[in-house]
Amino acid sequence: METLSLPLDPAEELHEECGIFGIVKAPSNLAGAAQDSREPVYDTYNALYTLQHRGQDSCGIAACIDGSIRLHKDQGLVPEVFSQKGLDRLVGASAAIGHVRHANNIADVNPLNAQPIVVHRTIGSMALCYNGKLVNSMQLRIEMESRGAIFQTTNDAEIITYLIVREHLRTNTLEDAVINAMEYMIGAYSVVVMSQDEMVAFRDPNGFRPLCLGRVGDSYVFASESAAIDALGGELIRDVHPGELISIRNGSLTSQFCRVKAAKSALCMFELIYFARQDSVIDGTTIGDVREEAGRYLARNSTVDGDLVIGVPDSGLAAALGYARESGIPYGIGLVKNRYIARTFIQSSTWERRNALRIKLNANSSVVKGKRVILVDDSIVRGKTSARIVQLLRDAGATEVHMKVTAPPFRHPCYYGTAIPSGEQLAAYDRTEEEVCRLIGADSLQYMPLEGLRHLSEKLNLNYCDACFTGNYILPVPHLHFQEGQKL
Amino acid sequence: METLSLPLDPAEELHEECGIFGIVKAPSNLAGAAQDSREPVYDTYNALYTLQHRGQDSCGIAACIDGSIRLHKDQGLVPEVFSQKGLDRLVGASAAIGHVRHANNIADVNPLNAQPIVVHRTIGSMALCYNGKLVNSMQLRIEMESRGAIFQTTNDAEIITYLIVREHLRTNTLEDAVINAMEYMIGAYSVVVMSQDEMVAFRDPNGFRPLCLGRVGDSYVFASESAAIDALGGELIRDVHPGELISIRNGSLTSQFCRVKAAKSALCMFELIYFARQDSVIDGTTIGDVREEAGRYLARNSTVDGDLVIGVPDSGLAAALGYARESGIPYGIGLVKNRYIARTFIQSSTWERRNALRIKLNANSSVVKGKRVILVDDSIVRGKTSARIVQLLRDAGATEVHMKVTAPPFRHPCYYGTAIPSGEQLAAYDRTEEEVCRLIGADSLQYMPLEGLRHLSEKLNLNYCDACFTGNYILPVPHLHFQEGQKL
Amino acid sequence: METLSLPLDPAEELHEECGIFGIVKAPSNLAGAAQDSREPVYDTYNALYTLQHRGQDSCGIAACIDGSIRLHKDQGLVPEVFSQKGLDRLVGASAAIGHVRHANNIADVNPLNAQPIVVHRTIGSMALCYNGKLVNSMQLRIEMESRGAIFQTTNDAEIITYLIVREHLRTNTLEDAVINAMEYMIGAYSVVVMSQDEMVAFRDPNGFRPLCLGRVGDSYVFASESAAIDALGGELIRDVHPGELISIRNGSLTSQFCRVKAAKSALCMFELIYFARQDSVIDGTTIGDVREEAGRYLARNSTVDGDLVIGVPDSGLAAALGYARESGIPYGIGLVKNRYIARTFIQSSTWERRNALRIKLNANSSVVKGKRVILVDDSIVRGKTSARIVQLLRDAGATEVHMKVTAPPFRHPCYYGTAIPSGEQLAAYDRTEEEVCRLIGADSLQYMPLEGLRHLSEKLNLNYCDACFTGNYILPVPHLHFQEGQKL
Amino acid sequence: METLSLPLDPAEELHEECGIFGIVKAPSNLAGAAQDSREPVYDTYNALYTLQHRGQDSCGIAACIDGSIRLHKDQGLVPEVFSQKGLDRLVGASAAIGHVRHANNIADVNPLNAQPIVVHRTIGSMALCYNGKLVNSMQLRIEMESRGAIFQTTNDAEIITYLIVREHLRTNTLEDAVINAMEYMIGAYSVVVMSQDEMVAFRDPNGFRPLCLGRVGDSYVFASESAAIDALGGELIRDVHPGELISIRNGSLTSQFCRVKAAKSALCMFELIYFARQDSVIDGTTIGDVREEAGRYLARNSTVDGDLVIGVPDSGLAAALGYARESGIPYGIGLVKNRYIARTFIQSSTWERRNALRIKLNANSSVVKGKRVILVDDSIVRGKTSARIVQLLRDAGATEVHMKVTAPPFRHPCYYGTAIPSGEQLAAYDRTEEEVCRLIGADSLQYMPLEGLRHLSEKLNLNYCDACFTGNYILPVPHLHFQEGQKL
């Protein structure tokens, strides 16, 4: 018997690389500030809990206590990595940053690859968290190695740290070092850096990945998503703008922009469609509203009729509701998700792996039986999960299953931080829509057209990156990838 | 600083005591049976995963392998208790039973109190899993102690085991032993018992707790909820009837009824309203349908108007949808639940405990802002969680919050297996509806009236127990409780 | 590649079944007693640490707090089972008992089989720890089962608990119940029982297993070995006599003897030779002195000459020193033991298993090179370990290796609590001394003769059981063993 | 109640910083080599087990598999860090290196500070293990930082890695890079470096820390102590000489010497007296022999008489035996050590901490009662442990206790890798021998005189470093220490 301990259909899911967070307490001598009794480490812990959907492989917190930086990071979910004892070691901080991470491959699952990265320097330590992907990381790496740099991880975060540290040698302030470093960085990056007296947050000129600024009591916070600010009872101030650097020192905020100008801002479409929580506000738009509007768009352009609209939980629900509202077809809860499903799930055989979806998701027969079901999901990756959900619904008595997907067909690799399977594994790689429809066994299939994305963009006043659908890459595609011992 | 490691608002939630499961492979010599390659231990593991919502404190599996019974049980969630290694020890079984358990109090969280209970006998071992609560457990215990019995747990399961073993001494079959034992058992019980050549499942004459029979491939299964059968890709055959005993031996089923006749069947109303998964079918009714109908009833009898109906996830969603459909007010996803929230969650202070709900649940401001919100939940226990949710919605911009509760006010203790806080802790204990409304800070409050329950009962052809609302106990209330060293 | 996670040569070692301990604080109202601030749970933890050599498979502590008994037990070594949190739950006790256990077989390694056993009774709880083996456990078990008893473990401790509880139903005091119960118990047993207001310790009429009484501050303690009393800074008062029962209630001691008279006292010879720590005093004799005298006896009766005497650590060292002193041959430290070796040790292949001894034990070449080595060990079980040690010494340059064994050849099973492999596995089972000598590859082999044991006995005024050497069983040999589902 | 989880008297013990190990399989095409089926990862695991006494805080293994390097390291003892699964990930290697580490302070206990350090380079990865302490690490660090280096640990290992990588940029071979790097390294260092096709081991010009070369089957191994080679069933070839570099490539060995010439070789005296296992051979001398000779020297120069010589286990035993042999006073086993004592040991109060020694060590009253005891130990650090042992012996009935210490008084800090408490904490810091004698409560105290060390040195033909006794530092004392954020 073949036995494996595997995540559920890992290749079926798109993965975000990271969630980041930072908090700076108001200085105690700040005029007007009440005695701020917050514990940055607990706020960071709570925030990481809220950002957990952005990365489940490892996590960590670095806290600045009495001018030095303490670090706790390891593989695992937030509650696995942080015990009471682990948190207590970080209590008493004036500032803290934290990170949740998705590993791209199994070799990558290593406590050393976890973030934050902390650098111990004689001029003061520095900690850094990063979400994104540099297009030119390999060039930077080779160049740095040629000057004697050593890399203990395979993370871009280490490269960015090197860049900032190098620039800091010839600048007076951390901000200036970052502004200089940004000239060398090409790609997607949202970063929070903390030194013993300063926190700096910055976002790449295209704004591929989200990053926002908020206030919790008298503390300032940065977060990948505003839901983390809500979780602390705080309020969103605004997004960090593409290309902007915000620094906090002695309780005051400074903003400046990097010298690199981007052709256009280009938020990752999948943040909107799938990654982010529906209650997060990114670049001025609530994610749930984007999804509802996507559902409405599909409804307006649909040619099939149905008796019931259901969404694949959790990311498909808002779109399904939008579809239902626009079409007038009743919305129902046709799929029930197991809320206790763990990251690892032991399966004894191929048979069980094939059926693992049933443990995670069940169709409510009473809801779908005898119905022509409109099924709304955010994307089709390899198609296997979609095929199983369609079958689940048929087994439960659905007479027809019409698949509605709020993203266009996935055909191109992402170089900006989304872990999309390579070409041939994608359902839409060399299949027409009709072929994908047959692959997943649906009665009909409607993808969001590129035109639909444009509509969304206009309606919501949002620019976005659609390279994975169109192959139109905003930044150059990397031609070098890191491989150990390769001859260059 | 006060630091605690606590479940989120444990006293705020109602708890089910247990979920049970059993599977018997078809005998290999069964005519017409294909070679059955199922592994009962993996099926049980998957089923317990699906029943995890019925108990998160401990779990266990007993497997019958080559005529002897092996046991693995411990505190923790299913994925915590069962590693690959732990499962492998139970591979090769002909039958297995499993259990998930909620502990009533902290002293109770003890690996010894976990189930199944396994009895090693010279005439062959026996394993037992149980969900419910005996009203006369103390009398039985005292009587057994007076005959020399020893109790290593504080579980009724041990009492039931004693009863069956004692009766088995004077009967030929396990079924007869069980039938006899049922004469002594007063209260709520759904039980699965396994000996080396037989599995017996039985349910109390009132049918307080659910139990159903299904088929997965050539194997028969018993489960607290049909969702566990769905998860295995099997099919529900029917419920075990109140007072019925079903036994499986050599691949064939036998049914008989106990000699005790119940005045009426009386499924626990909270199974319908809160405990069970909405995709489970209990006593012929899909739980989601009951909840939707409850929502509809409230809508029909509501006197307030609103702009949006939202449900508290997950158990309030179906009712909210029903309310929306009946009232014509739009349904929305106004509350977003963190899907990674763990059983234990470290909180540093009173302040954080008060705000812990925000980590678990967030209001989607974009959805509720400026709206008169109809908020649908399954129950109000102490009222604190309800108050925080109401406040969350107001903070997010809701102009009015009207609370709709699909259960009547909770005023009486449950003696049949639901862990309801004691009287004074209940919001409705000595408060009028108006007072509860003020307590939770809502603009209005509508409870399900007792008349509404009767309506549901008729419409869905279901009998139920409403003692916690009415104080009308179907069975006598116990006058003795176990307390160590008490003088009797 | 075959990989296994195994203890080091488990079958090569003799195992003690258990170590037990109990402590009762002086009552606070005791005249003349200073305020006793001891924490029984910490004393028990420290004592179990000191008794760890008597059992490494599981351990537990039961503590009496405010009249009720709390239990913590699990598989593992003392530091593995007890965290700070686990100990804290037991703080504040007036009395506590504890246990370390060796499991006879792998199926036996089960948290349920751990001790203490705690019985929850309406008349007050009771906890029990036990070391030994009943000869008639099967008869007792069958008889109890016929009256409706259920057994959740395969431990004799559960049988003894039943006996005491049954007798307690018809006696006024726990002591009387125990005195009655002892009439039914045939075999080796040292037991500590605790109720909410009393602790009772008793030892079988033959005194097979040790048990002593001591005082630590104002507290009384019972322990398998006096080393545990030393570890607490206390003093040994005396041994519990064979057949004696000592009870402590309200700070005062009572002693009485059971009605069963033994033909003779018969301490297990292996307690003296191998199991007990050399600093323990059992039945008036320090274990190290017995071993030294055994070495001396062998030296006086040896016919071979040598240049160096070395002992196999740790139990062979005292005997080696005695041999050296008596013979005038220099004592040396020729074998060095790894002090970090763990219970489980991962070995990748047969080859590694064969060489695992080297990780545990190394020969000091500088000490043994060119020497005729007198090697002293406590016993030869299967002979494989002895053969490897002999080879280790030859590889390190010893010119001759003369094996001296402080026990006679092992030829008969033990029914009184020592886990001796079955007959055919024993080196001496059907081999002459010359054949065993060849088996282990030594130049000569000298066993302790039975006459030597008699000499020791007289010199040290000790009676002992030598059934494993002679087959002369003091008590009847059991003819029934427990097997699940066996037809009787 | 104050509760702490602490190592036993950590400040009382001297600590070695590390143990290192490396193994290179014979290339499969090596003429005459049998098919070598060794698994380097298992050999390394076994070797680290044997070197565990040199560091218990963290450990790790890096394995070269198919040209890339995989790493597993974490906090904890070898059996805690390496599960079967962890080892299996490293199976199939052609070479491996491993490390056990002692952390100097609690902040230092961090998985990131564990070794090996692995550097991922485009020209091929590299792993490094290190034992020692650089005197000029701070200067090197500052200089490297000024060129843009980042330090993620506070380990010298990272500095050495940088040096080698930097030099490798301008040399053709790893050996040349190391030879160059050694010119910058001042202090104590024994290092093993592994690239995908080579292993290089080198030792500082003074040879402060041990390092030896051996052969196991057809594989070459490097180890801090020869006991690790014995454990694998291999043979010691010779020590790596001070200032020597040995490299292994394609199965052949090359030796060369660094260009830095040392005034003299200077093995750390504490390796001889305390750190190393007594069965290890370092620089041609078996450690046990040094200790025996130290005991003999003390005996020859002693002015007190006694009835019994006992050693403090384990490092004092060989010296005690030497003392006994030389003086003619009988050797005895007067102190018994608990072999199960764990690294962490929970103590509830000051009282318990004071008495924790008793759990670890017990006096055998029967051996010492009424005797004038000669007590031999390797060193007196703060004096508290010595005082407790003296008291233990008096409590057990010793009439006199005469302390013999095989090292001179400890008065100066060590800058070469031994974690000696700072000056004022040392018993001998500002006390005369008479005052130390009173501090520890002995009847007399004899330290090894410096003259005695010279005697040992001549007799055993060994050079050594005695700076901690004399303050005569062979290398310059560092004037800069790393402190985060310090102004320089």
Side-chain angles (χ1 to χ4, degrees), chain C residues 1 3-5 38-39 42-43 45-47 49-54 56 77 79 82-85 87-88 91 216 226-227 230-234 274 277-280 286 288-289 292 308 314 317-318 321 325 330-333 335-348 351-352 355 358-367, chain D residues 1 3-5 38-39 42-43 45-47 49-54 56 77 79 82-85 87-88 91 216 226-227 230-234 274 277-280 286 288-289 292 308 314 317-318 321 325 330-333 335-348 351-352 355 358-367:
Chain C
M1 187 184 54
T3 61
L4 282 170
S5 170
R38 303 197 75 78
E39 270 301 341
Y42 278 101
D43 285 328
Y45 170 80
N46 289 336
Y49 234 126
T50 309
L51 296 174
Q52 185 82 77
H53 61 284
R54 297 183 70 87
Q56 296 96 48
L77 296 170
F82 288 97
S83 64
Q84 181 74 55
K85 207 167 137 195
L87 285 174
D88 284 351
V91 155
V216 182
S226 64
D230 293 347
L232 303 178
Y274 171 71
R277 278 172 56 137
Q278 60 177 308
D279 52 335
S280 280
T286 300
D289 295 348
E292 179 173 343
L308 183 76
D314 293 313
L317 297 180
L321 193 55
R325 285 172 171 179
Y331 171 85
I333 303 171
L335 291 167
V336 178
K337 191 170 178 179
N338 185 334
R339 350 174 226 153
Y340 293 96
I341 206 73
R343 220 158 37 109
T344 54
F345 185 77
I346 302 169
Q347 293 154 274
S348 67
W351 186 90
E352 299 230 0
N355 285 271
R358 287 179 180 277
I359 315 296
K360 191 178 179 183
L361 216 55
N362 192 22
N364 191 333
S365 178
S366 169
V367 170
Chain D
M1 187 184 56
T3 61
L4 282 170
S5 169
R38 304 196 74 79
E39 269 302 341
Y42 278 101
D43 284 329
Y45 170 80
N46 289 337
Y49 235 126
T50 309
L51 296 173
Q52 184 81 77
H53 61 284
R54 295 183 71 86
Q56 294 97 46
L77 296 170
F82 288 97
S83 63
Q84 182 74 57
K85 206 166 138 195
L87 286 174
D88 284 352
V91 156
V216 182
S226 64
D230 293 347
L232 304 177
Y274 171 71
R277 276 172 58 137
Q278 61 178 307
D279 51 337
S280 280
T286 299
D289 295 350
E292 179 173 344
L308 183 77
D314 293 312
L317 298 180
L321 193 55
R325 284 173 172 178
Y331 172 84
I333 303 171
L335 291 167
V336 178
K337 192 170 176 178
N338 184 335
R339 9 174 209 147
Y340 293 97
I341 207 74
R343 219 160 38 109
T344 54
F345 184 77
I346 302 170
Q347 294 154 273
S348 67
W351 187 90
E352 299 229 0
N355 285 271
R358 288 178 179 277
I359 317 296
K360 193 178 178 183
L361 216 56
N362 192 21
N364 191 333
S365 178
S366 169
V367 169

Side-chain angles (χ1 to χ4, degrees), chain A residues 42 46 49 56 84 230 279 286 289 314 325 331 337-340 342 345-346 348 352 362 364 366, chain B residues 42 46 49 56 84 230 278-279 286 289 314 325 331 337-340 342 345-346 352 362 366:
Chain A
Y42 278 101
N46 289 338
Y49 235 125
Q56 296 96 46
Q84 181 74 56
D230 293 347
D279 51 337
T286 299
D289 295 349
D314 293 315
R325 285 173 171 179
Y331 171 84
K337 191 169 179 180
N338 185 336
R339 10 175 209 147
Y340 294 96
F345 185 76
I346 302 170
S348 67
E352 299 229 359
N362 193 22
N364 192 333
S366 168
Chain B
Y42 278 101
N46 289 337
Y49 235 125
Q56 295 97 46
Q84 181 74 57
D230 292 347
Q278 60 179 308
D279 52 336
T286 299
D289 295 349
D314 294 315
R325 286 173 171 178
Y331 171 84
K337 190 169 179 180
N338 185 335
R339 358 174 220 152
Y340 293 97
F345 184 77
I346 302 171
E352 299 230 359
N362 192 22
S366 168

Side-chain angles (χ1 to χ4, degrees), chain A residues 119-120 144-145 147-152 158 162 165, chain D residues 117 119 121 126 128 140-141 143-145 147-153 155-170 177 181 184-185:
Chain A
V119 185
H120 300 281
M144 286 167 175
E145 283 189 14
R147 301 191 194 182
I150 64 175
F151 289 92
Q152 300 183 51
E158 207 176 5
Y162 261 115
V165 163
Chain D
I117 282 194
V119 185
R121 298 184 298 174
M126 191 181 97
L128 181 146
L140 291 170
R141 197 170 176 127
E143 186 247 307
M144 287 167 173
E145 284 189 13
R147 300 192 194 182
I150 64 174
F151 290 93
Q152 299 183 51
T153 76
N155 266 356
D156 284 359
E158 206 176 6
I159 295 171
I160 298 174
T161 303
Y162 261 115
L163 278 174
I164 295 174
V165 163
R166 186 183 72 181
E167 296 302 322
H168 205 181
L169 292 173
R170 45 190 165 196
Y184 297 91
M185 295 161 65

Side-chain angles (χ1 to χ4, degrees), chain A residues 352-459:
Chain A
E352 299 229 359
R353 257 197 309 289
R354 210 166 52 232
N355 285 271
L357 179 72
R358 288 179 179 277
I359 316 298
K360 194 177 176 182
L361 217 55
N362 193 22
N364 192 333
S365 178
S366 168
V367 170
V368 302
K369 182 178 278 175
K371 301 277 173 57
R372 294 171 300 165
V373 172
I374 306 290
L375 174 66
V376 185
D377 202 355
D378 49 73
S379 55
I380 297 177
V381 186
R382 296 194 307 171
K384 295 199 177 177
T385 295
S386 301
R388 286 174 196 163
I389 294 174
V390 169
Q391 189 57 46
L392 214 55
L393 291 169
R394 292 204 193 278
D395 290 351
T399 55
E400 297 175 12
V401 181
H402 300 280
M403 185 81 177
K404 306 293 178 183
V405 184
T406 57
F410 229 152
R411 296 206 167 96
H412 304 274
C414 173
Y415 298 107
Y416 312 135
T418 306
I420 293 174
S422 63
E424 315 83 72
Q425 294 184 291
L426 295 170
Y429 177 63
D430 53 2
R431 285 190 184 84
T432 61
E433 285 196 25
E434 289 68 33
E435 288 168 337
V436 175
C437 185
R438 271 201 300 278
L439 178 74
I440 66 173
D443 292 285
S444 77
L445 166 63
Q446 180 187 8
Y447 276 110
M448 172 68 72
L450 292 170
E451 170 57 31
L453 293 188
R454 276 188 293 274
H455 163 81
L456 277 182
S457 165
E458 278 157 33
K459 184 166 173 81

Side-chain angles (χ1 to χ4, degrees), chain B residues 89-147:
Chain B
R89 273 194 60 235
L90 306 181
V91 155
S94 56
I97 65 174
H99 194 267
V100 290
R101 178 170 187 269
H102 167 71
N104 281 323
N105 56 66
I106 204 71
D108 221 27
V109 179
N110 187 320
L112 297 176
N113 270 335
Q115 294 187 34
I117 282 193
V118 172
V119 185
H120 299 282
R121 297 185 298 176
T122 46
I123 62 156
S125 294
M126 191 180 99
L128 180 145
C129 286
Y130 153 75
N131 174 27
K133 189 91 196 98
L134 295 187
V135 167
N136 64 334
S137 59
M138 192 55 191
Q139 286 88 335
L140 290 170
R141 197 170 176 126
I142 291 170
E143 185 246 307
M144 286 167 174
E145 284 190 14
S146 74
R147 299 192 195 181

Side-chain angles (χ1 to χ4, degrees), chain B residues 155-440:
Chain B
N155 266 356
D156 285 358
E158 207 176 6
I159 295 170
I160 299 174
T161 305
Y162 261 115
L163 278 174
I164 295 174
V165 163
R166 187 182 72 183
E167 295 303 322
H168 204 183
L169 291 172
R170 46 190 164 196
T171 56
N172 281 326
T173 67
L174 183 57
E175 297 97 296
D176 287 350
V178 169
I179 287 286
N180 285 356
M182 287 172 85
E183 293 198 44
Y184 297 90
M185 294 161 64
I186 305 175
Y189 54 89
S190 287
V191 182
V192 181
V193 189
M194 173 176 72
S195 70
Q196 73 260 54
D197 50 13
E198 195 168 2
M199 185 172 292
V200 176
F202 56 100
R203 197 173 168 200
D204 70 73
N206 295 102
F208 285 105
R209 299 289 149 210
L211 186 61
C212 65
L213 168 71
R215 178 184 280 275
V216 182
D218 289 321
S219 302
Y220 284 113
V221 298
F222 296 105
S224 287
E225 296 185 26
S226 64
I229 302 174
D230 292 347
L232 304 177
E235 55 186 321
L236 171 66
I237 297 176
R238 65 167 173 87
D239 288 83
V240 177
H241 299 305
E244 187 185 16
L245 174 159
I246 296 179
S247 70
I248 304 173
R249 180 194 288 267
N250 287 328
S252 63
L253 279 181
T254 320
S255 160
Q256 56 184 306
F257 282 81
C258 73
R259 289 180 290 269
V260 187
K261 298 304 167 209
K264 68 163 198 166
S265 70
L267 184 66
C268 168
M269 177 51 71
F270 266 88
E271 292 284 349
L272 303 172
I273 294 297
Y274 171 72
F275 294 142
R277 277 172 56 137
Q278 60 179 308
D279 52 336
S280 280
V281 178
I282 296 183
D283 288 346
T285 301
T286 299
I287 296 304
D289 295 349
V290 182
R291 293 181 190 164
E292 181 175 341
E293 186 56 34
R296 285 182 184 274
Y297 184 91
L298 289 174
R300 281 196 297 272
N301 294 277
S302 172
T303 56
V304 299
D305 200 8
D307 305 313
L308 182 77
V309 182
I310 68 175
V312 178
D314 294 315
S315 49
L317 297 180
L321 194 55
Y323 193 104
R325 286 173 171 178
E326 185 76 27
S327 65
I329 303 172
Y331 171 84
I333 304 173
L335 291 166
V336 178
K337 190 169 179 180
N338 185 335
R339 358 174 220 152
Y340 293 97
I341 206 74
R343 218 161 37 111
T344 54
F345 184 77
I346 302 171
Q347 295 155 272
S348 67
S349 64
T350 312
W351 187 88
E352 299 230 359
R353 257 196 310 288
R354 208 165 54 231
N355 285 271
L357 179 73
R358 287 179 179 277
I359 316 297
K360 193 178 177 183
L361 216 56
N362 192 22
N364 192 334
S365 178
S366 168
V367 170
V368 303
K369 182 178 277 175
K371 300 277 173 57
R372 293 172 300 165
V373 172
I374 305 290
L375 173 67
V376 185
D377 202 355
D378 49 72
S379 56
I380 296 175
V381 186
R382 294 194 307 172
K384 294 198 178 177
T385 295
S386 301
R388 285 173 197 163
I389 295 174
V390 169
Q391 188 58 45
L392 214 54
L393 292 168
R394 293 203 193 278
D395 290 351
T399 55
E400 297 176 12
V401 181
H402 300 280
M403 184 83 178
K404 307 292 177 182
V405 185
T406 57
F410 229 151
R411 296 206 167 96
H412 304 273
C414 173
Y415 299 107
Y416 312 136
T418 305
I420 292 175
S422 62
E424 314 85 69
Q425 295 183 291
L426 295 170
Y429 178 63
D430 53 2
R431 285 191 186 83
T432 61
E433 286 196 27
E434 289 70 34
E435 287 167 337
V436 175
C437 184
R438 271 200 300 278
L439 177 74
I440 66 173

Side-chain angles (χ1 to χ4, degrees), chain D residues 429-447:
Chain D
Y429 177 64
D430 53 3
R431 285 191 185 83
T432 62
E433 287 197 24
E434 290 69 35
E435 287 169 338
V436 175
C437 183
R438 272 200 300 279
L439 178 74
I440 66 172
D443 292 286
S444 77
L445 165 62
Q446 182 188 7
Y447 275 111

